[in-house]
Amino acid sequence: FPALVGYEKSEKAFGALINELLNPGSLDRWERISDELAQYKEEISKYILSSYSFYFKLLFRIDLKSITTEEEYLSAIRSLSKRELDDHMTGFLESVLDMSLPTMDQSENYVSAVFKLISASTLDHSDKWKLFALLENPEAVRDQYADFMEGLIPLHRKYYTEVEYAVNAWSNSFALELETTEQTPLSYIMDQYLVAESAAMFKQSSTINFWLLGIHDYNYFFMNPSPNESNIFLGINVLEYLSRLNRFETRNKEERMTVFKNLSDKTRYEVLKLIANGESSTKVLAQKLGVTSAAISYHLKQLSNDRLIRFDANSPKQRYRINESRLREALAGLHEDLCL
């Protein structure tokens, strides 16, 4: 439900995924939802920071296992204290935007220091004002978010009804598959999108909680890996898509072209060069390339969707590494196409 605000009217809604491998029903549903959400675009933008949903990550500040309805989720959000909201803000800024705020207090020096830090950041103008508002009165903004989302409950239920049966069926078959194949259905997705250390951390966890996405059936989020308990958000069609991709013609021309399209974008190319040299801080990438953090976040998502970079989920801050095998496959396919 909170991921609903992630929808947008865009031809790149599915990133670098190959459309012919997607379920037509998913594409149609995405278009219908984004059309209905278009009227709320300005309101939704208030809860997005640098293209990341600030409130989606609040899921891990509440007892997620006890939530069974949208109303219960909003009630849990409304009950979060200012201290919990401040802690979430600090963690979000450090992990997503590589921005460390000074220790919070009520002195004028603190307010001045925070103002200077945010003003000098690579956030765009609207993000700076949203951040100021969150820091000034996080409870007020939180309540605005909860009130807004309450109005979207009918829209969410309307579309979730279409996929609820599929979520339940897929859940049962996935559980059975995990019991009999020792998590091998996840091996491919982990190898494609995570660095080896992060994948190993998930596989070694004593407990893995799977949160299945029905409306967001091609989206996935890897969150909080640990030796004890890890959480994986998984769209119910992600593994099917990757299975089809794995069976797709080797070095398929269309898939290969997405690599070169990414490389033809000047900013994205420079981002890859910096990551190859060991730098993947959103803040530093934005500063070195002279663009906003939101622009860097967008490019990182596209590179990640196309599997040109892998995510290090073990790092306290979002870190990426080049997926060398993906680049080698694309270059080998180009050589083959040109008969070199």
Side-chain angles (χ1 to χ4, degrees):
F1 172 59
L4 192 66
V5 296
Y7 277 86
E8 62 177 328
K9 185 72 172 178
S10 168
E11 63 179 359
K12 297 181 179 179
F14 287 96
L17 301 185
I18 300 172
N19 277 6
E20 68 183 79
L21 298 183
L22 301 179
N23 184 322
S26 297
L27 293 166
D28 173 66
R29 185 165 53 252
W30 186 288
E31 287 296 312
R32 286 185 286 128
I33 294 176
S34 61
D35 283 342
E36 291 204 48
L37 284 176
Q39 61 183 308
Y40 306 111
K41 183 177 180 180
E42 185 175 343
E43 184 72 20
I44 288 173
S45 69
K46 296 177 182 178
Y47 312 113
I48 306 294
L49 269 177
S50 193
S51 81
Y52 289 96
S53 176
F54 176 76
Y55 284 94
F56 179 83
K57 292 181 179 289
L58 262 182
L59 282 171
F60 295 97
R61 291 280 171 181
I62 61 180
D63 181 12
L64 193 55
K65 294 178 187 176
S66 69
I67 304 298
T68 59
T69 67
E70 295 83 3
E71 287 86 356
E72 288 178 0
Y73 159 74
L74 294 177
S75 177
I77 291 296
R78 286 187 172 107
S79 67
L80 291 173
S81 67
K82 183 178 185 301
R83 175 62 180 273
E84 289 173 312
L85 292 169
D86 287 341
D87 287 346
H88 173 60
M89 167 64 76
T90 299
F92 180 88
L93 293 178
E94 288 183 349
S95 65
V96 176
L97 300 179
D98 198 20
M99 183 185 295
S100 298
L101 296 177
T103 304
M104 288 193 176
D105 58 46
Q106 301 303 315
S107 68
E108 291 184 6
N109 289 339
Y110 166 74
V111 176
S112 176
V114 170
F115 182 82
K116 289 180 180 178
L117 178 67
I118 296 175
S119 298
S121 72
T122 54
L123 294 172
D124 63 31
H125 188 67
S126 63
D127 279 343
K128 290 177 181 179
W129 283 111
K130 282 183 271 185
L131 187 50
F132 283 134
L134 281 166
L135 289 168
E136 182 179 15
N137 196 336
E139 293 161 302
V141 181
R142 181 269 321 273
D143 290 342
Q144 291 171 10
Y145 164 77
D147 291 343
F148 169 67
M149 291 300 290
E150 191 169 17
L152 291 185
I153 289 177
L155 176 65
H156 178 262
R157 287 181 177 163
K158 171 184 174 181
Y159 286 100
Y160 188 73
T161 305
E162 296 182 8
V163 298
E164 186 171 13
Y165 74 94
V167 174
N168 293 329
W170 198 87
S171 174
N172 293 330
S173 63
F174 183 57
L176 180 62
E177 194 169 11
L178 287 177
E179 289 176 5
T180 57
T181 57
E182 298 182 355
Q183 300 185 18
T184 53
L186 293 173
S187 297
Y188 184 76
I189 190 172
M190 287 185 175
D191 291 342
Q192 290 291 314
Y193 293 97
L194 293 174
V195 299
E197 296 88 342
S198 295
M201 178 70 82
F202 275 110
K203 294 175 183 178
Q204 291 168 7
S205 297
S206 58
T207 300
I208 299 180
N209 301 311
F210 290 95
W211 309 98
L212 305 179
L213 304 174
I215 295 180
H216 289 253
D217 51 342
Y218 284 100
N219 285 10
Y220 55 89
F221 305 86
F222 290 92
M223 310 290 289
N224 303 338
S226 74
N228 299 319
E229 185 173 78
S230 295
N231 294 283
I232 295 179
F233 278 64
L234 187 65
I236 61 173
N237 280 326
V238 169
L239 294 179
E240 179 189 7
Y241 172 83
L242 291 173
S243 176
R244 291 179 183 177
L245 186 63
N246 203 24
R247 296 194 304 268
F248 214 39
E249 179 183 353
T250 303
R251 297 172 185 162
N252 175 270
K253 186 179 296 183
E254 183 179 346
E255 189 199 1
R256 184 160 58 253
M257 285 174 63
T258 66
V259 174
F260 296 116
K261 285 179 181 177
N262 271 303
L263 295 177
S264 68
D265 183 284
K266 183 178 184 298
T267 302
R268 220 163 288 171
Y269 184 79
E270 293 299 325
V271 168
L272 280 175
K273 283 174 58 180
L274 288 169
I275 292 176
N277 288 324
E279 183 56 71
S280 64
S281 159
T282 302
K283 175 182 177 182
V284 175
L285 290 173
Q287 289 175 338
K288 288 192 173 183
L289 297 180
V291 297
T292 65
S293 293
I296 291 298
S297 298
Y298 171 76
H299 289 304
L300 288 173
K301 285 180 180 179
Q302 294 301 313
L303 292 170
S304 178
N305 282 344
D306 197 30
R307 310 187 317 283
L308 284 170
I309 56 178
R310 288 185 172 129
F311 181 59
D312 182 359
N314 290 327
S315 173
K317 298 180 180 180
Q318 293 201 11
R319 292 291 181 263
Y320 299 89
R321 298 183 199 170
I322 298 294
N323 186 351
E324 296 179 16
S325 61
R326 176 85 167 113
L327 285 168
R328 290 196 185 100
E329 289 172 4
L331 291 173
L334 178 63
H335 275 247
E336 186 177 286
D337 289 343
L338 302 180
C339 301
L340 297 177

